[in-house]
């Protein structure tokens, strides 16, 4: 089944403890991206990757890092999480610059205390 | 800067009724527009994708229209069912070059009353 898989689905952590949210897609998509969803603000893009070793900032990149060493994987790294990064995170991928739409993962609910 | 608005933020209708959800965007130079549904605590499920050259797309009881010149899209749901209760999001993709991001509206939370 074609899908985007995120792990974990739920995560509670403490301020300052580094964490990684994984994202993997099995559709050979070249484009991958991370969004966060907050009440009243909708989904906002954090980082994106056009292909392996090509990444760039989205609208809200502060406090996040990404890497794209393999085409299928695009992990989101929070080096020192803070409570304002408590949010619902989504990974997305697409083929041919989104011509056929985007596929989203099931989301990761992160709580930073 | 592209802005996407969905009004109303919430809508309740009795089961069986037809309904229309609205999406408006400020920059008409879009590449395509995608409608998603989001169930509580769940991910985004793609419903329909409309390319900028298309006027509408249909899937089952769903029909999405696009009017680029007026910056509007509608999602029509026929014969609504309780299982249609969810939040509906529209998202536009502005260009085919550079950052391939989607700009989302904040959604319409739909409740179908049995």
């Amino acid at each position: 089944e074609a899908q985007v898989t995120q792990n974990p689905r739920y995560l509670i952590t403490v301020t300052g403890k580094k964490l990684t949210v994984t994202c993997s897609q099995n559709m050979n998509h070249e484009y991958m991206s991370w969004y966060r969803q907050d009440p009243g603000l909708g989904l906002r893009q954090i980082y994106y990757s056009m292909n392996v070793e090509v990444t760039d900032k989205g609208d809200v990149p502060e406090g996040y890092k990404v890497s794209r060493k393999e085409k299928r994987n695009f992990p989101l790294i929070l080096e020192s999480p803070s409570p304002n990064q408590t949010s619902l995170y989504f990974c997305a991928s697409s083929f041919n610059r989104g011509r056929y739409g985007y596929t989203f993962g099931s989301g990761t609910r992160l709580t930073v205390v | 800067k592209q802005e996407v608005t969905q009004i109303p933020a919430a809508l309740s209708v009795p089961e069986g009724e037809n309904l229309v959800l609205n999406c408006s965007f400020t920059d008409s130079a879009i590449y395509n527009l995608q409608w998603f549904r989001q169930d509580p605590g769940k991910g985004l499920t793609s419903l329909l994708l409309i390319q900028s050259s298309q006027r509408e797309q249909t899937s089952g009881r769903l029909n999405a229209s696009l009017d680029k010149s007026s910056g509007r899209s509608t999602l029509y749901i026929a014969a609504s069912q309780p299982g249609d209760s969810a939040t509906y999001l529209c998202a536009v993709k502005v260009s085919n070059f550079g950052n391939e991001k989607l700009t989302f509206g904040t959604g319409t939370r739909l409740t179908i009353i049995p």
Side-chain angles (χ1 to χ4, degrees):
Chain A
E1 179 188 356
Q3 60 186 356
V4 176
T5 303
Q6 293 179 228
N7 280 297
R9 290 293 311 280
Y10 302 92
L11 180 59
I12 301 174
T13 191
V14 297
T15 300
K17 185 176 182 181
K18 181 180 179 180
L19 66 92
T20 300
V21 183
T22 64
C23 174
S24 181
Q25 50 92 5
N26 62 0
M27 297 166 281
N28 201 35
H29 286 172
E30 70 276 6
Y31 176 85
M32 298 185 74
S33 181
W34 278 101
Y35 291 81
R36 61 177 289 174
Q37 184 179 33
D38 302 289
L41 297 177
L43 281 91
R44 295 175 293 168
Q45 190 188 55
I46 304 171
Y47 267 94
Y48 67 97
S49 170
M50 302 289 281
N51 215 321
V52 176
E53 301 292 0
V54 181
T55 64
D56 207 346
K57 298 176 181 178
D59 296 322
V60 289
E62 294 77 22
Y64 305 95
K65 285 176 57 177
V66 293
S67 68
R68 187 92 181 271
K69 294 182 169 53
E70 305 167 285
K71 196 171 186 179
R72 63 184 295 124
N73 296 322
F74 190 45
L76 179 69
I77 303 160
L78 285 73
E79 294 267 358
S80 182
S82 63
N84 65 11
Q85 293 178 296
T86 293
S87 187
L88 180 58
Y89 291 86
F90 289 103
C91 180
S93 70
S94 72
F95 175 70
N96 195 8
R97 298 183 179 276
R99 178 181 296 274
Y100 306 107
Y102 292 75
T103 303
F104 279 76
S106 298
T108 295
R109 171 82 59 188
L110 173 65
T111 302
V112 184
V113 297
Chain B
K1 177 186 174 185
Q2 178 74 268
E3 293 182 0
V4 179
T5 304
Q6 292 183 250
I7 295 174
L11 179 66
S12 294
V13 300
E15 180 179 359
E17 287 200 359
N18 303 325
L19 61 99
V20 174
L21 305 180
N22 298 297
C23 172
S24 61
F25 46 93
T26 56
D27 185 346
S28 62
I30 67 170
Y31 185 69
N32 58 36
L33 183 147
Q34 197 166 358
W35 281 94
F36 296 88
R37 73 172 276 168
Q38 183 177 20
D39 295 283
K42 300 288 181 63
L44 305 181
T45 301
S46 180
L47 297 173
L48 288 165
L49 172 72
I50 310 180
Q51 303 295 344
S52 62
S53 58
Q54 297 175 320
R55 298 283 291 184
E56 65 178 65
Q57 281 286 342
T58 298
S59 176
R61 294 183 294 109
L62 304 180
N63 176 278
S65 70
L66 175 63
D67 184 342
K68 273 180 40 177
S69 61
S70 67
R72 296 184 64 183
S73 175
T74 62
L75 180 66
Y76 174 84
I77 302 177
S80 58
Q81 304 170 358
D84 295 330
S85 297
T87 296
Y88 291 80
L89 300 167
C90 73
V92 300
K93 179 177 180 299
V94 174
S95 73
N96 198 27
F97 299 98
N99 185 2
E100 308 297 328
K101 78 171 186 179
L102 294 175
T103 301
F104 282 85
T106 51
T108 295
R109 187 171 68 243
L110 176 65
T111 302
I112 304 300
I113 304 165

